[in-house]
């Protein structure tokens, strides 16, 4: 019986050793769609409440004609081009504008001085979503007011200053100037062409000036010859002298040939030396062994051994 239990234990140990090592457990991810669904539902509720507030404001202004953009926000014109002579800004156009920001209770958050003389290129720069889409609805010279929900304004984060999270805004915009992209490209091409013409004129004038100075250079040389010029002149004139000497060597010498005088070297005269006056040193009396002797030069003084100074 004991042997059977022993065999059972051995088999169990063998089976346990054959099992694989336990794998590390992966972290459990709790990120599910419930959180996203809750945030979407909350944003829808916030948007619904803000639209209700905008609707209440619009009902208080029956005399004003409101428009609805394709993004859902409401707006109206304080001033509008009734003649329809100008086109709406499109992608690439540059808009110059001012705007001010208010709350739904018409409380001023930022006045027009805060955002004055702003410049924005349509769909090519980052700006508040409501203004990005609203500026496409306003022409040059128009003044419009936009009722922007928080999703079209600064959203959940706010602007980090006066506008807190989930704040609907009333934004009044004034358009001063719209520069068309076609005009901008034409102006850039004109400036580039003008720049190339000016560069060509400058290069031509520089080339003319260089050629004029090069042609006038020989006439403006100094009259005095430099050592290099004198050396060249001596070399140039040397063949004639050599030719003369060769002719004289070929001719027979006569007794009447004149001797060439010797060239005396100039004597070097040194300036006279200045006389040095001897300095007279007055004699100094010294008492040595109660005897007075005159001061004599150092080499001529007697050497006194065991001399004692006189005591007072």
């Amino acid at each position: 019986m004991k042997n059977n239990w022993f065999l059972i234990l051995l088999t169990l140990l063998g089976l346990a050793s054959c099992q694989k090592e336990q794998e590390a457990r992966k972290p459990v991810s709790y990120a599910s769609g419930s959180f996203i669904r809750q945030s979407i539902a909350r944003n829808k509720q916030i948007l619904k409440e803000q639209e209700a507030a905008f609707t209440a404001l619009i009902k208080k202004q029956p005399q004003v004609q409101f428009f609805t953009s394709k993004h859902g926000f409401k707006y109206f014109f304080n001033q509008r081009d009734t003649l329809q002579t100008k086109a709406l800004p499109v992608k690439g156009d540059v808009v110059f504008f001012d705007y001010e920001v208010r709350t739904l209770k018409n409380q001023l958050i930022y006045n027009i001085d805060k955002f004055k003389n702003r410049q924005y290129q349509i769909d090519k720069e980052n700006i508040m979503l409501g203004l990005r889409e609203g500026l496409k609805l306003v022409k040059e010279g128009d003044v419009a007011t936009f009722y922007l929900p928080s999703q079209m304004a600064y959203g959940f984060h706010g602007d980090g200053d006066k506008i807190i999270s989930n704040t609907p805004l009333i934004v009044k915009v004034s358009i001063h100037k719209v520069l068309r992209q076609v005009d901008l490209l034409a102006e850039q091409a004109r400036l580039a062409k003008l720049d190339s013409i000016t560069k060509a004129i400058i290069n031509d004038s520089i080339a003319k000036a260089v050629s004029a100075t090069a042609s006038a250079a020989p006439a403006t040389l100094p009259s005095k010859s430099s050592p290099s010029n004198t050396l060249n002149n001596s070399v140039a004139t040397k063949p004639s002298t050599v030719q003369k000497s060769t002719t004289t060597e070929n001719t027979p010498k006569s007794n009447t040939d004149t001797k060439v005088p010797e060239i005396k070297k100039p004597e070097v005269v040194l300036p006279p030396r200045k006389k040095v006056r001897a300095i007279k040193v007055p004699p100094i009396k010294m008492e040595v062994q109660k005897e007075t002797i005159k001061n004599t030069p150092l080499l001529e003084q007697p050497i006194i051994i065991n001399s004692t100074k006189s005591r007072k």
Side-chain angles (χ1 to χ4, degrees):
M1 188 72 181
K2 291 181 179 180
N3 294 329
N4 293 333
W5 282 110
F6 183 71
L7 292 173
I8 292 168
L9 287 173
L10 288 176
T11 53
L12 290 174
L13 290 173
L15 291 172
S17 62
C18 292
Q19 289 180 354
K20 295 181 179 179
E21 295 181 358
Q22 188 177 2
E23 295 180 358
R25 292 182 298 172
K26 295 180 180 179
V28 180
S29 178
Y30 292 98
S32 61
S34 61
F35 177 77
I36 298 173
R37 286 194 295 269
Q38 289 176 3
S39 62
I40 292 172
R42 185 171 58 254
N43 290 333
K44 286 183 178 180
Q45 183 64 28
I46 292 171
L47 180 60
K48 187 176 180 180
E49 292 174 358
Q50 293 176 2
E51 286 179 349
F54 284 134
T55 304
L57 285 175
I58 290 169
K59 286 181 179 180
K60 293 179 182 180
Q61 307 175 65
Q63 73 280 3
V64 179
Q65 183 182 4
F66 280 86
F67 301 90
T68 304
S69 71
K70 64 180 181 180
H71 294 276
F73 63 88
K74 306 288 183 179
Y75 67 99
F76 68 92
F77 289 95
N78 304 85
Q79 179 181 337
R80 192 176 186 184
D81 180 19
T82 56
L83 299 177
Q84 301 292 327
T85 56
K86 298 177 183 178
L88 293 171
V90 295
K91 183 178 180 180
D93 295 347
V94 179
V95 181
F96 298 88
F97 65 100
D98 305 334
Y99 70 96
E100 65 179 18
V101 182
R102 295 178 180 269
T103 63
L104 294 185
K105 296 180 181 179
N106 205 26
Q107 295 176 352
L108 186 65
I109 301 176
Y110 296 118
N111 58 13
I112 199 169
D113 295 331
K114 175 73 174 179
F115 303 108
K116 194 172 184 179
N117 296 327
R118 293 288 168 144
Q119 178 180 343
Y120 170 67
Q121 192 170 14
I122 300 295
D123 290 339
K124 291 194 175 182
E125 295 178 11
N126 291 326
I127 198 173
M128 186 170 61
L129 183 59
L131 283 177
R132 186 188 306 172
E133 302 300 331
L135 290 173
K136 300 176 186 178
L137 306 173
V138 189
K139 300 178 182 179
E140 181 179 334
D142 291 351
V143 180
T145 302
F146 303 102
Y147 286 6
L148 302 176
S150 60
Q151 296 177 0
M152 299 295 294
Y154 292 97
F156 175 76
H157 299 284
D159 70 338
D161 191 5
K162 295 182 179 181
I163 300 173
I164 60 175
S165 63
N166 298 325
T167 303
L169 300 175
I170 298 175
V171 182
K172 185 178 179 180
V173 181
S174 302
I175 307 297
H176 301 302
K177 183 72 176 175
V178 177
L179 292 178
R180 304 295 173 181
Q181 187 178 17
V182 178
D183 299 334
L184 290 174
L185 294 175
E187 182 67 15
Q188 290 176 0
R190 188 185 69 82
L191 292 175
K193 187 176 181 181
L194 182 63
D195 190 16
S196 63
I197 291 171
T198 52
K199 285 181 179 179
I201 292 171
I202 291 170
N203 293 332
D204 190 17
S205 60
I206 291 171
K208 288 181 179 179
V210 170
S211 62
T213 52
S215 60
T220 57
L221 289 174
S223 58
K224 293 182 179 180
S225 60
S226 60
S228 61
N229 292 334
T230 54
L231 180 62
N232 294 332
N233 294 333
S234 63
V235 171
T237 56
K238 192 172 181 180
S240 60
T241 57
V242 170
Q243 191 173 8
K244 289 181 180 179
S245 63
T246 52
T247 52
T248 53
E249 286 176 1
N250 294 329
T251 56
K253 293 183 181 180
S254 60
N255 296 328
T256 60
D257 292 337
T258 59
K259 295 182 179 180
V260 179
E262 296 181 356
I263 299 172
K264 294 182 179 181
K265 295 181 179 180
E267 296 181 358
V268 179
V269 181
L270 297 176
R273 293 183 179 180
K274 294 182 179 180
K275 294 181 179 181
V276 181
R277 294 181 180 180
I279 300 172
K280 294 181 179 181
V281 181
I284 300 172
K285 293 182 179 181
M286 298 177 63
E287 292 183 0
V288 179
Q289 295 182 356
K290 296 181 179 181
E291 293 181 0
T292 58
I293 59 173
K294 292 183 179 182
N295 188 16
T296 57
L298 184 61
L299 298 175
E300 298 178 3
Q301 288 182 2
I303 299 172
I304 300 172
I305 301 172
N306 297 328
S307 62
T308 56
K309 295 181 179 180
S310 61
R311 297 179 182 178
K312 291 182 180 182

